Amino acid sequence: YVHHVLQNIETYGLNSSSIRNVVFIADKDTLKRFVNPAMYSRFHTSLLEIVAYPDRIQVNTIPESIFNEAHDGNKREILVLDGLKSITTSGPVVFERILVTGYLKGRFFINDDDYASKRNFYYSPIQFPPTITRDSMSFRENIDLWMNQGSIPDTANRMALRMVFIDRKGERRALSAKSKENLFKILREICAKRGFTFEVVAFEGKPASEQIKLVHDAAIVMGVHGANLVNSIFMPPLAVLIEIFPFRFSHVMYVEGGMASLKYYALHVSQGSEYPGLSELKMSADECVRKQEVCKVFYRDALMELSNGDFTEVTKIMQDAFNYLAQVASPLSTTLE
């Protein structure tokens, strides 16, 4: 939401020089990710650096400049604090004007139709394109600036002939070893026929910069529903995201990459174990998932075994995805008009 405001300042009756400070009030769990960024792959810190680029972040530090009446219009202070008490130790602080952002639930970017703006919108002439949002495009520009020390390379927003499968460690919300082996075999064969490479990556333990690079030019990313799919926001616009859902579980968070201008497909695993207490609850499995947290977690985190029908559906999704990508460009590069 902060990225949205900084990219659409005029929408909120402001101008670029009028925003002097951006203050994040972090709870204890979030703050530790900024205080000790290396312990958390620098993910939160890197994401905020991208959003705030080129301004620098200060954590639990109060620079004297925020109290000065004179203001350099080209510089903002980006502060991550554990509360407002730290800036009121010398007395009360009065904000000349304050804009309090909201919280985006189930998406990462705001649809262009949801706010007034004089900024140009993006249009793609291909058939059945995803929704292309201004904010996701400006976010990608910030990514390139952040990754390349202030310059945007000629390869920006260009897709490579790569399919990336985001793997998960452990058995929680994961594919069984046999299902994974068979799935990877099918995907490798399909990709090879199309001239694509097929890569399996795991983000655990990798710094944010490396995670971003792993998907930054990928034409297709596939993975099981979960936090790892947040990295889809770093993919090129119009690329393909394929989300695998455990038996009886679904969610809308990553549809089109959370409004990140991605083409989206979903694979719903067709078989699995039923919640043991389902009959006692006297409700359907779908209702149980919606109303009972323990039931939702049971289905969401189950080990997945793919059926023959699931593998057939994978093949169909991949065919649709390649047919879609053939419209985008050849060789693959995005053109937004």
Side-chain angles (χ1 to χ4, degrees):
Y1 220 128
V2 171
H3 170 75
H4 165 73
V5 171
L6 293 178
Q7 296 296 319
N8 298 277
I9 292 174
E10 291 78 10
T11 298
Y12 297 93
L14 304 171
N15 57 65
S16 58
S17 63
S18 65
I19 296 185
R20 298 180 52 173
N21 308 299
V22 177
V23 181
F24 289 84
I25 305 302
D27 59 28
K28 184 178 179 180
D29 184 63
T30 303
L31 185 66
K32 69 183 182 182
R33 301 169 190 274
F34 289 97
V35 174
N36 300 298
M39 293 181 61
Y40 301 94
S41 303
R42 291 198 87 255
F43 190 88
H44 292 73
T45 300
S46 298
L47 188 58
L48 184 51
E49 287 174 349
I50 292 169
V51 167
Y53 190 88
D55 299 313
R56 299 186 64 181
I57 302 169
Q58 300 194 58
V59 179
N60 271 349
T61 301
I62 312 297
E64 286 297 322
S65 59
I66 72 168
F67 301 109
N68 296 339
E69 292 189 15
H71 172 53
D72 179 358
N74 296 317
K75 182 181 180 182
R76 290 188 292 258
E77 300 292 353
I78 312 296
L79 311 178
V80 180
L81 307 174
D82 60 359
L84 289 176
K85 287 185 178 180
S86 52
I87 63 174
T88 59
T89 53
S90 301
V93 172
V94 177
F95 293 92
E96 295 177 1
R97 179 182 287 183
I98 185 169
L99 173 62
V100 181
T101 61
Y103 171 70
L104 288 178
K105 183 174 176 60
R107 56 179 172 163
F108 304 112
F109 300 101
I110 297 177
N111 193 316
D112 292 0
D113 294 337
D114 291 344
Y115 64 98
S117 176
K118 294 182 179 179
R119 295 166 62 204
N120 292 332
F121 67 91
Y122 290 87
Y123 164 77
S124 175
I126 64 177
Q127 189 176 23
F128 306 121
T131 304
I132 304 173
T133 54
R134 300 183 190 95
D135 287 352
S136 71
M137 297 302 295
S138 58
F139 177 75
R140 289 181 173 92
E141 183 175 325
N142 277 19
I143 294 171
D144 285 314
L145 291 169
W146 177 80
M147 291 177 65
N148 298 282
Q149 292 77 50
S151 63
I152 297 180
D154 294 337
T155 55
N157 291 337
R158 186 178 290 270
M159 299 183 212
L161 303 181
R162 299 175 58 228
M163 178 176 183
V164 173
F165 186 95
I166 301 175
D167 204 1
R168 294 175 63 93
K169 293 183 178 180
E171 295 187 350
R172 175 178 169 271
R173 205 185 314 169
L175 296 168
S176 71
K178 187 63 175 177
S179 290
K180 192 182 293 187
E181 179 185 349
N182 290 336
L183 176 63
F184 290 175
K185 181 176 183 293
I186 290 171
L187 294 176
R188 283 194 181 94
E189 291 175 354
I190 293 174
C191 287
K193 289 178 181 178
R194 297 282 185 158
F196 273 59
T197 62
F198 175 72
E199 306 161 36
V200 179
V201 304
F203 290 144
E204 288 87 353
K206 289 184 172 61
S209 57
E210 187 175 346
Q211 295 182 37
I212 293 171
K213 288 177 182 177
L214 284 171
V215 300
H216 194 49
D217 66 353
I220 305 174
V221 165
M222 176 186 283
V224 174
H225 172 80
N228 278 335
L229 293 189
V230 170
N231 287 281
S232 62
I233 64 177
F234 305 120
M235 294 173 65
L238 302 184
V240 171
L241 174 64
I242 304 171
E243 182 174 16
I244 301 174
F245 285 109
F247 179 59
R248 296 209 184 282
F249 182 82
S250 63
H251 203 286
V252 299
M253 175 173 287
Y254 298 110
V255 173
E256 295 192 338
M259 300 303 294
S261 308
L262 301 178
K263 186 68 173 178
Y264 175 83
Y265 300 91
L267 171 68
H268 297 270
V269 174
S270 62
Q271 63 180 13
S273 300
E274 297 288 8
Y275 178 60
L278 195 60
S279 59
E280 296 176 8
L281 293 171
K282 296 181 179 180
M283 60 178 65
S284 68
D286 290 342
E287 187 178 8
C288 181
V289 170
R290 292 197 309 271
K291 296 183 177 180
Q292 301 286 333
E293 180 68 17
V294 64
C295 186
K296 180 184 77 172
V297 172
F298 174 85
Y299 287 111
R300 184 193 67 191
D301 293 349
L303 185 67
M304 287 171 280
E305 193 78 47
L306 299 180
S307 67
N308 290 334
D310 294 329
F311 289 121
T312 299
E313 182 65 15
V314 167
T315 302
K316 180 181 181 301
I317 288 173
M318 292 298 296
Q319 180 67 45
D320 291 345
F322 281 118
N323 288 343
Y324 158 80
L325 287 171
Q327 299 180 72
V328 175
S330 182
L332 289 177
S333 61
T334 56
T335 302
L336 302 177
E337 300 178 356

